[in-house]
Amino acid sequence: MKLGHVIESQQFTLPMLVELFEVADQMERIIARGGTQDYQNKIMASLFYEHSTRTRFSFESAMYRLGGKVLSTERANTFSSVAAGETLEDTIRVVSSYADVIVLRHNEIGGAARAAAISTVPIVNAGDGKGGQHPTQALLDLYTIYKGVKTIEGVKVALVGNLTDGRTVRSLAYLLGKFERVKLYFVAPDSFQIKQDILDYLTKHNVWFARESNLKKILPEVDVVYSTRIEPELLTQRGERLETISQYFIDDTLLKLLPSHALVMHPLPRLHEISPTVDSNSRAVYFKQTKNGVLIRMALLASVLGY
Amino acid sequence: MKLGHVIESQQFTLPMLVELFEVADQMERIIARGGTQDYQNKIMASLFYEHSTRTRFSFESAMYRLGGKVLSTERANTFSSVAAGETLEDTIRVVSSYADVIVLRHNEIGGAARAAAISTVPIVNAGDGKGGQHPTQALLDLYTIYKGVKTIEGVKVALVGNLTDGRTVRSLAYLLGKFERVKLYFVAPDSFQIKQDILDYLTKHNVWFARESNLKKILPEVDVVYSTRIEPELLTQRGERLETISQYFIDDTLLKLLPSHALVMHPLPRLHEISPTVDSNSRAVYFKQTKNGVLIRMALLASVLGY
Amino acid sequence: MKLGHVIESQQFTLPMLVELFEVADQMERIIARGGTQDYQNKIMASLFYEHSTRTRFSFESAMYRLGGKVLSTERANTFSSVAAGETLEDTIRVVSSYADVIVLRHNEIGGAARAAAISTVPIVNAGDGKGGQHPTQALLDLYTIYKGVKTIEGVKVALVGNLTDGRTVRSLAYLLGKFERVKLYFVAPDSFQIKQDILDYLTKHNVWFARESNLKKILPEVDVVYSTRIEPELLTQRGERLETISQYFIDDTLLKLLPSHALVMHPLPRLHEISPTVDSNSRAVYFKQTKNGVLIRMALLASVLGY
């Protein structure tokens, strides 16, 4: 597989996902054997218009595991002070001269697509705007489900927390919707429920889904519970009671309701969504997600650079 | 050629420039063949007292293309908080222990020369102060002219925009003045014209020059038009009318006045100096300049590190 | 020697120090021979919660000299905005997925130990909190004494300046106290004298020490004078006269009082503690300390990564 740009979750077909996961498995074996220098002549540019040290480190670790080099900035806006006002397009053209692949975190929805339209090297979207896409996060989440549950077809997933604004959950829902017999439970207080555009997409693709507010009721049903943060200040703003949040707090008690094979996932950072006492449970895979993130990003970088 | 420090444009003799350009050509072939790891044991430090992600990336890309390693900071002033007050000299001595070459962007004129006086490893000046030098930019500009016009002797160049404060234009004028039969047109509103020190230098070296304010009149005469930005706020400050700036705006209409072999150059970032419609024209080489910048900096780094 | 975490000076036994210094000597020979790529598949993460470009560069230079790769941030707090409030423990777990060793500069005493308790990869403490530890600085200081005086047993060291708050001096005193017949002179104004915890430690280990305020009197007695900064604003705060500081200023006059074999050391940055005229004197080794810092950190990184 030779990928071009990586812009949104929807661009990945089932056969592409299968191949990507195979390459990620292979990357795990390469790391276990001590690594590779196959991409030592390649340069990746981390071009971040917003801070996200975690995402940046994950991509840079992936590039280093491939043997490559990394140009890095978390203040891409200093390429073009507000006074100078350089366009994103001009910046991308310039950085295309410096690197073989650009990992772009932009502050506006559609930033990655604009960059891809002009770039002479592959663009990988590392998040573009609130409510935009973060496809590599969705891919690593899907890969974690695949590795943990052994299959994605027929998987039952509870997506929990702030579903309205969460880029991660939205991108993951798009991806899961591509698989047969998947069941999605959107579990959130009313004012944090999933938006209509996602539901329309799922309906169009014949994906079963349900909206719920009661997590305890759903837990025994699912293979995966994917927890995300509801910011307390948003709760108040949207007229919900602060106590509401405690219903979604996954601790040892709630864990007992979950089937023994099921996975507890979280995109991190977590605050009060999952108790630290859950960390040592074999079903807790949120730190595995970060490991898988490196593998998936290695696979993506190798695919856009050519292998 | 084994270069010591790279401090100012004037230090380069004609034979040095010829050799530098040959090495840059060779670097282009090396990249095309997949790159090199020849300098894998060498460390470059990017020591920037001012942000300039673009210049930093260009140098770091060059060092990576050579196979080398990069230490990087855009906040070199945190080496020595204002309270601590460490001298530039002490900082340079310390960084000399960490790297094999130091790329220095300093905020004061003469910063690079002060660093070179004390450093045990080569210093490359990546810009020192407003109105100071930025020799590697001038070298890449000269290299772009050489590659585009095939010769520098007898070349006719229009330097346009803010010629009073532009570090780039000043350094380039010094370099062009070394070649036979060169003609320089300084095209700017009166309050942005080139300073007397450059004109004295050119007179002393018998270089033909003219000061103009009318770009349209000059365009048919030249092999190169080198555009730079006039900040709107400076226009007002210096008593010029804002409309003045539109005379220097290069669009498709002005492009028609330019000979078919001529080059349109700009140090970037651009704002309202050149229309995006010009970008696709074969004469527009401002994005080639950024590519050439990597080659020239590879050649310079290889020269100071030894090849 | 296979080290685990590097958290505090006290963890190093005499045999460990001897082996570490042998490895550092070997690293010097490796650099002289042109370097190594032995650790090219290893990744070090610089995780700095406080700026310290100097310390960061020293570690990153060491990792590069070993052939390794570096993930770097000086704003580790952006991993977890104050609003998000991710724990240090969660951050360390995540970064453990990205790197083979974590160099941690934390803003709280005990930060490194907390990280080590949870990390799946080695933690190297690069300073944790005011009055905490900075063991690698103490090790490089000890190594510099060892290389300069040829032995550490029986060495007489004057520690000068702000001994109350200086992390460096405190860590070095712990290390020196491990050697036979060492004599320590704590030279400072009363309100900047060494704290009782260090004196208790030395008494328990039968180390000779004296507290002094007169530097001139002590200089003829010692093998090493280790100068540190007293911040002028602290002098006033603690009721000392500003002129007091001049007694501790090492210039050519004071240098004459020092034995010809003795060393002048300083952790840097210096301000008004040592005259620049002293720099060229063969006894001034403060810039050698920075060189030795890279060697010691190479030895430490090789030890935790395995060699």
Side-chain angles (χ1 to χ4, degrees), chain B residues 41 75 78 86 90 97-98, chain C residues 34 37 51 53 61 75 270:
Chain B
N41 286 330
R75 44 176 78 207
T78 66
E86 187 179 53
D90 272 17
S97 302
Y98 301 152
Chain C
Q37 296 296 315
H51 293 169
T53 313
S61 177
R75 43 177 79 209
R270 67 164 159 185

Side-chain angles (χ1 to χ4, degrees), chain A residues 12-304:
Chain A
F12 288 87
T13 62
L14 280 191
M16 285 167 78
L17 290 169
V18 168
E19 184 170 344
L20 186 71
F21 291 177
E22 279 170 7
V23 177
D25 286 350
Q26 199 181 321
M27 292 301 171
E28 190 169 23
R29 292 191 294 271
I30 286 174
I31 291 179
R33 283 199 308 261
T36 177
Q37 297 297 315
D38 281 358
Y39 295 81
Q40 63 179 356
N41 286 330
K42 296 296 185 187
I43 302 175
M44 177 187 104
S46 293
L47 191 63
F48 278 53
Y49 283 76
E50 297 178 330
H51 293 171
S52 177
T53 313
R54 180 186 306 272
T55 301
R56 182 171 68 83
F57 265 31
S58 177
F59 272 107
E60 297 183 357
S61 178
M63 189 61 181
Y64 286 144
R65 292 290 182 213
L66 292 171
K69 312 280 198 282
V70 176
L71 292 173
S72 189
T73 184
E74 284 193 325
R75 44 176 78 208
N77 47 331
T78 66
F79 255 92
S80 49
S81 67
V82 173
E86 187 180 53
T87 61
L88 174 62
E89 281 77 6
D90 272 17
T91 302
I92 292 295
R93 274 195 195 95
V94 167
V95 180
S96 298
S97 303
Y98 301 153
D100 302 301
V101 54
I102 299 172
V103 174
L104 177 69
R105 170 72 149 241
H106 202 249
N107 49 314
E108 290 170 22
I109 297 179
R114 278 173 58 202
I118 204 88
S119 178
T120 58
V121 301
I123 299 291
V124 180
N125 185 0
D128 58 341
K130 293 251 172 276
Q133 285 255 353
H134 194 358
T136 64
Q137 174 72 42
L139 290 168
L140 78 87
D141 289 338
L142 192 72
Y143 180 61
T144 303
I145 294 172
Y146 165 76
K147 302 261 279 187
V149 189
K150 310 301 177 207
T151 176
I152 303 176
E153 293 189 1
V155 80
K156 286 167 278 179
V157 180
L159 297 155
V160 185
N162 182 349
L163 309 179
T164 310
D165 309 293
R167 198 157 50 181
T168 315
V169 160
R170 292 171 51 86
S171 288
L172 183 56
Y174 277 122
L175 273 186
L176 285 168
K178 291 176 177 283
F179 291 82
E180 297 289 323
R181 302 186 313 282
V182 162
K183 289 191 172 186
L184 300 182
Y185 300 83
F186 297 103
V187 186
D190 284 354
S191 43
F192 291 88
Q193 261 297 353
I194 195 78
K195 285 184 189 161
Q196 193 57 40
D197 59 340
I198 301 284
L199 300 181
D200 290 346
Y201 172 91
L202 296 173
T203 303
K204 195 176 148 202
H205 289 76
N206 294 311
V207 183
W208 188 97
F209 64 85
R211 278 169 294 183
E212 291 285 343
S213 62
N214 188 336
L215 180 59
K216 280 186 187 171
K217 199 182 111 194
I218 298 301
L219 281 178
E221 307 294 328
V222 298
D223 304 303
V224 176
V225 55
Y226 190 103
S227 172
T228 67
R229 183 150 35 107
I230 300 184
E231 296 80 353
E233 63 277 19
L234 285 186
L235 268 175
T236 328
Q237 269 179 40
R238 299 190 186 169
E240 303 277 352
R241 289 177 314 122
L242 265 175
E243 303 82 76
T244 311
I245 218 167
S246 65
Q247 297 175 31
Y248 302 98
F249 179 68
I250 299 174
D251 58 7
D252 293 330
T253 311
L254 256 72
L255 203 61
K256 288 194 184 110
L257 302 174
L258 198 68
S260 63
H261 75 279
L263 310 177
V264 182
M265 295 178 66
H266 194 290
L268 302 180
R270 67 163 160 189
L271 191 47
H272 300 304
E273 300 86 58
I274 302 175
S275 165
T277 61
V278 172
D279 295 359
S280 56
N281 193 290
S282 63
R283 285 173 287 179
V285 296
Y286 27 92
F287 294 116
K288 255 186 210 161
Q289 283 169 270
T290 69
K291 275 187 208 293
N292 290 337
V294 176
L295 301 177
I296 280 292
R297 283 161 182 146
M298 286 176 76
L300 286 168
L301 289 170
S303 300
V304 298

Side-chain angles (χ1 to χ4, degrees), chain C residues 39-84:
Chain C
Y39 295 82
Q40 64 180 356
N41 286 330
K42 296 297 182 185
I43 301 176
M44 178 187 103
S46 293
L47 192 62
F48 278 53
Y49 283 75
E50 298 177 329
H51 293 169
S52 176
T53 313
R54 180 187 306 271
T55 300
R56 182 170 68 80
F57 264 31
S58 177
F59 271 106
E60 296 182 357
S61 177
M63 188 61 180
Y64 286 144
R65 291 290 181 212
L66 292 170
K69 311 280 197 281
V70 176
L71 292 172
S72 190
T73 184
E74 284 192 325
R75 43 177 79 209
N77 47 330
T78 65
F79 254 91
S80 49
S81 69
V82 173

